[in-house]
Amino acid sequence: MKLILYFLAVIHGYILPDLPKTLPPLGSTAREYTFNITRSYANPAGFYRSGFLINGQSPGPAIEGDEDEWITVTVNNFTPFAFTIHFHGILQKGTPWFDGVPGLSQYPILSGDTYTYHFQLKEQYGSAWYHSHYRGYSSDGILGPIYIRPSQLRARPYKLISDNDEDIQEIIKMERTPTNIIVDDYFKMPMDDTLLKMDQYGIDPLCIQSILVNGKGRVYCHSELELRNSTEKIIDTMGCFRDLFSNGYADLRNHMDNYALENPGFSSHCSPTFSDIFNLQIKGKKWHYINIINAGAQYTKSFSIDDHEFHVIAIDGVFVIPEKVHQIQISSGSRVTIVLETDRQMHNDTNRPFLMRFAAIRCPQYIEGLALLSYGETHYTDVYAQNGFRVQNLQGEINGGFKGIDIPSLRPFEEKTVKTGKADHTFNLFLNRSGVVEFTMFKDGAKLPASSELLQPLYFQEPEVSKYVLDSHIKHGEVVDIIMNNFRRYNHPIHLHGHTFRLISYNNKKSFKYNTMEDALLDGFSIDSRSPCFDSILVPPNGHAVIRFEANNPGIWLLHCHNLGHLIGGMGAVIYESLHDIPEIPQYLHDQAHVHNSLNTFVSGILGTNHDTSYLLLN
């Protein structure tokens, strides 16, 4: 039809706007997905509240494809709300404007609108995931797994797991159809309400109701006996710590009804639920290929399986030198791929299931998510009964005699080395809490504006340098270092869009004392050429992380904390990379239906200029 209109226009002496570019490119085919997003009122953790569904389910359907294949995702918004979809871990090489960040790469998809994403699974493989990057709606159900099957040319680490050819062939077969386990932090209220309490009353959303595993969970309550025996902290029956001084803001609690607002540590009395939980049935198979995604908006998780060991083979979609362990810690946004060997002869009782545990750690709440590993067809309901040895306790602390591993200690399997000299550009970031619910990456306290996702995308503007933009004219092929020191007692899982990076320095107790890596090298510091490779890293309190990446993906990229409250509180930065090399943006993206926002003027006209309107501009 557009071609007909075009030729008619030529005949009549005028030309229509440029026709959309063909994506995928001519001669290529794409694996196509359609996401119908709807609103629902459901009880995945045994209590009812509103949320979202993708094609009638949450988590949504898995996006799967082969390395270098093109993907097309058409999103139909059948809800009253706006949102975007970000493809977390997808590099978006050649299509940076499909990264799904509102106010940066696109306008939010309006109610009743349709939006189509096109991207290539180029130069990457392994586990990723997708989620809303708007107003925290990922925690309301807009999320799902992505899996990219490695090409035949990729080196694989399976011979380091077993020297048996039959085992290796079975693992390769399982690699084609892995099990995806996506773990989410589930709040008592929808995120709009949770974030409104955060902004209006300074309530950091630290207390969750349940940890969902593949969309299923239960509410676990702490007994009065457990509370009386707790000597470290005062906690409520949800296991939430009560901080009477609000982490240094002593006056905050004196001006509100803590119990009515359910401040952390003041939750209403917990009522346990007994809903279904996820059950992984192994059905006689010896080897299992499992991608574990921590999609939670709040907590790092310690993962273990009672009575089992497993091989860690990949982190953030990159093969690592395998480690056989009982436990691994997974920060928000990260993905871990494991190979699990199951053998009835290795266990005393395989007629009962084993518990898979996801304990929230480094956080002000005692809570864990549970799922089942079953050797047979079972309908076991007493999920709290232990079968075999228990690797970790409720706080995620590993029991004696078992082996755990932290992600920063894992090295990439492929011999792709990082440059060990000085960087072309260095950015020093200071992760800090600057207010009750305000967070920053910058020494001067600059924050990613709360209203940014409602405004014209940066890709559609002339680039400007502002306080939250990292820009020193990065050119293609240059090396960029980002030094991140954490000066508060919060953990910050930092995620970089558009890249995998190398972790060239890390310490969970000390700050990085140099202004640049060049200064460190002159002082005798050395960079490991096989440094770990990730796209997310947890920067611990009073510790640091130094990441290095090559500017090989022109675009405008977001660097941010993946703790939802911290991002909404301002902990984010924008990276301008090789702006002159960014591919031309298809015209139809400019023409997306959207609202021209001038919210401060609009709100002040209704409420008056003396009102604080910031809560209406939440991310």
Side-chain angles (χ1 to χ4, degrees):
M1 183 64 184
K2 287 186 176 180
L3 286 173
I4 295 173
L5 292 173
Y6 180 82
F7 288 120
L8 288 174
V10 172
I11 292 172
H12 286 85
Y14 62 89
I15 300 296
L16 294 177
D18 291 340
L19 294 175
K21 290 185 176 181
T22 300
L23 287 175
L26 290 174
S28 300
T29 58
R31 195 179 296 262
E32 297 183 359
Y33 293 87
T34 298
F35 286 175
N36 295 316
I37 315 293
T38 55
R39 195 78 167 139
S40 74
Y41 208 76
N43 62 338
F47 63 94
Y48 284 90
R49 48 151 282 194
S50 61
F52 297 95
L53 298 177
I54 305 175
N55 298 353
Q57 66 184 68
S58 181
I63 294 175
E64 294 184 348
D66 297 323
E67 188 171 354
D68 292 327
E69 192 170 24
W70 279 87
I71 300 291
T72 293
V73 181
T74 299
V75 179
N76 299 314
N77 183 358
F78 292 107
T79 80
F81 305 91
F83 54 80
T84 66
I85 303 292
H86 166 59
F87 303 92
H88 183 121
I90 300 301
L91 299 177
Q92 296 290 355
K93 291 207 167 185
T95 55
W97 5 264
F98 281 130
D99 196 38
V101 180
L104 196 154
S105 55
Q106 72 170 95
Y107 294 102
I109 306 170
L110 299 179
S111 173
D113 198 12
T114 294
Y115 189 87
T116 300
Y117 298 90
H118 303 276
F119 53 89
Q120 188 180 15
L121 306 176
K122 188 176 182 180
E123 299 176 18
Q124 63 178 127
Y125 60 94
S127 177
W129 61 297
Y130 62 87
H131 62 86
S132 172
H133 216 295
Y134 182 80
R135 291 191 63 84
Y137 289 158
S138 59
S139 289
D140 285 345
I142 304 182
L143 77 172
I146 301 174
Y147 179 63
I148 309 167
R149 288 180 284 268
S151 76
Q152 295 299 316
L153 300 178
R154 287 283 177 187
R156 291 157 166 81
Y158 306 145
K159 289 185 179 180
L160 299 179
I161 295 174
S162 174
D163 56 7
N164 183 294
D165 288 340
E166 290 184 4
D167 288 345
I168 294 173
Q169 290 305 312
E170 186 173 351
I171 295 171
I172 291 175
K173 182 179 178 181
M174 298 301 298
E175 174 195 271
R176 303 293 298 173
T177 56
T179 297
N180 295 308
I181 296 179
I182 190 164
V183 184
D184 190 22
D185 298 329
Y186 197 63
F187 292 83
K188 184 175 183 178
M189 298 186 299
M191 290 311 298
D192 280 334
D193 293 339
T194 299
L195 300 181
L196 199 57
K197 286 204 311 179
M198 172 183 164
D199 190 71
Q200 286 191 268
Y201 298 103
I203 297 175
D204 203 346
L206 295 173
C207 193
I208 62 174
Q209 291 287 110
S210 179
I211 294 176
L212 301 183
V213 181
N214 279 357
K216 296 182 177 182
R218 293 184 176 185
V219 175
Y220 171 81
C221 300
H222 295 263
S223 68
E224 297 296 337
L225 178 62
E226 288 177 300
L227 300 184
R228 286 197 298 270
N229 290 339
S230 175
T231 57
E232 276 189 47
K233 299 277 186 181
I234 300 174
I235 61 174
D236 59 26
T237 54
M238 280 304 307
C240 301
F241 296 5
R242 182 179 302 176
D243 191 338
L244 298 175
F245 298 99
S246 187
N247 299 323
Y249 297 90
D251 293 335
L252 177 66
R253 299 294 189 235
N254 299 329
H255 304 290
M256 67 175 70
D257 187 336
N258 293 309
Y259 290 97
L261 290 170
E262 294 197 62
N263 253 310
F266 297 89
S267 304
S268 57
H269 193 77
C270 180
S271 298
T273 63
F274 303 94
S275 45
D276 289 340
I277 63 173
F278 176 66
N279 186 1
L280 176 58
Q281 296 184 333
I282 65 172
K283 299 180 180 178
K285 296 177 182 177
K286 181 181 179 182
W287 294 97
H288 306 273
Y289 204 99
I290 304 172
N291 296 319
I292 303 170
I293 304 160
N294 184 1
Q298 282 295 115
Y299 296 147
T300 297
K301 312 293 190 305
S302 275
F303 167 71
S304 68
I305 307 173
D306 287 359
D307 220 50
H308 287 75
E309 293 178 277
F310 49 84
H311 301 267
V312 178
I313 64 163
I315 304 293
D316 290 351
V318 177
F319 285 132
V320 298
I321 298 172
E323 289 281 352
K324 191 174 185 180
V325 299
H326 297 92
Q327 182 205 62
I328 189 166
Q329 297 177 3
I330 314 172
S331 63
S332 178
S334 291
R335 293 88 62 208
V336 171
T337 301
I338 68 170
V339 169
L340 172 67
E341 182 181 8
T342 53
D343 185 347
R344 288 183 181 271
Q345 305 303 317
M346 299 168 62
H347 310 282
N348 291 328
D349 185 2
T350 55
N351 293 317
R352 295 191 299 139
F354 300 90
L355 284 174
M356 295 192 286
R357 301 180 187 270
F358 298 88
I361 63 170
R362 302 177 180 178
C363 66
Q365 184 178 9
Y366 293 145
I367 189 171
E368 69 176 350
L370 298 175
L372 301 177
L373 176 70
S374 301
Y375 277 66
E377 298 290 339
T378 180
H379 301 285
Y380 193 68
T381 57
D382 185 7
V383 301
Y384 305 119
Q386 182 178 328
N387 183 12
F389 61 77
R390 179 171 178 171
V391 172
Q392 62 186 34
N393 62 19
L394 183 63
Q395 293 80 48
E397 298 166 341
I398 195 166
N399 294 322
F402 302 127
K403 182 181 179 181
I405 193 167
D406 287 328
I407 284 178
S409 66
L410 294 164
R411 295 296 187 269
F413 175 70
E414 291 184 285
E415 294 184 5
K416 187 176 181 180
T417 59
V418 63
K419 294 181 179 179
T420 57
K422 67 177 184 179
D424 298 295
H425 306 276
T426 299
F427 301 102
N428 280 276
L429 299 182
F430 297 80
L431 311 185
N432 199 2
R433 182 184 184 191
S434 56
V436 177
V437 285
E438 297 176 348
F439 297 87
T440 180
M441 283 185 158
F442 298 92
K443 192 172 185 178
D444 63 1
K447 299 187 301 177
L448 190 68
S451 60
S452 63
E453 66 183 14
L454 300 173
L455 303 179
Q456 184 183 28
L458 293 178
Y459 276 102
F460 303 162
Q461 305 178 38
E462 286 296 321
E464 295 182 359
V465 177
S466 61
K467 288 185 176 181
Y468 59 89
V469 172
L470 305 180
D471 177 52
S472 57
H473 307 292
I474 299 171
K475 297 178 181 178
H476 190 76
E478 293 183 324
V479 174
V480 180
D481 283 352
I482 300 178
I483 299 171
M484 296 179 285
N485 284 306
N486 185 356
F487 291 102
R488 283 279 183 167
R489 65 182 189 177
Y490 284 94
N491 294 280
H492 296 297
I494 303 299
H495 172 53
L496 174 62
H497 291 216
H499 292 274
T500 55
F501 55 74
R502 308 303 288 266
L503 183 66
I504 59 174
S505 182
Y506 186 86
N507 192 290
N508 60 8
K509 295 180 180 179
K510 296 181 180 179
S511 296
F512 193 72
K513 63 182 181 179
Y514 306 99
N515 289 322
T516 67
M517 187 54 67
E518 182 178 9
D519 293 340
L521 294 171
L522 291 173
D523 197 35
F525 185 91
S526 61
I527 298 174
D528 183 355
S529 62
R530 296 286 294 274
S531 297
C533 186
F534 314 120
D535 62 40
S536 301
I537 187 64
L538 186 75
V539 186
N542 302 311
H544 78 266
V546 182
I547 65 174
R548 169 170 288 191
F549 67 92
E550 182 181 347
N552 57 10
N553 195 11
I556 303 174
W557 304 112
L558 190 62
L559 176 77
H560 67 94
C561 182
H562 221 277
N563 180 302
L564 183 62
H566 299 179
L567 171 59
I568 289 171
M571 187 171 277
V574 173
I575 298 174
Y576 287 165
E577 177 185 339
S578 309
L579 293 180
H580 297 295
D581 298 321
I582 296 175
E584 184 180 352
I585 301 172
Q587 180 60 42
Y588 66 88
L589 298 186
H590 292 271
D591 299 335
Q592 180 197 351
H594 62 275
V595 175
H596 288 287
N597 286 292
S598 181
L599 289 183
N600 283 321
T601 303
F602 172 75
V603 174
S604 63
I606 297 175
L607 300 180
T609 56
N610 293 328
H611 288 266
D612 178 10
T613 61
S614 61
Y615 68 92
L616 295 173
L617 305 177
L618 286 173
N619 287 8

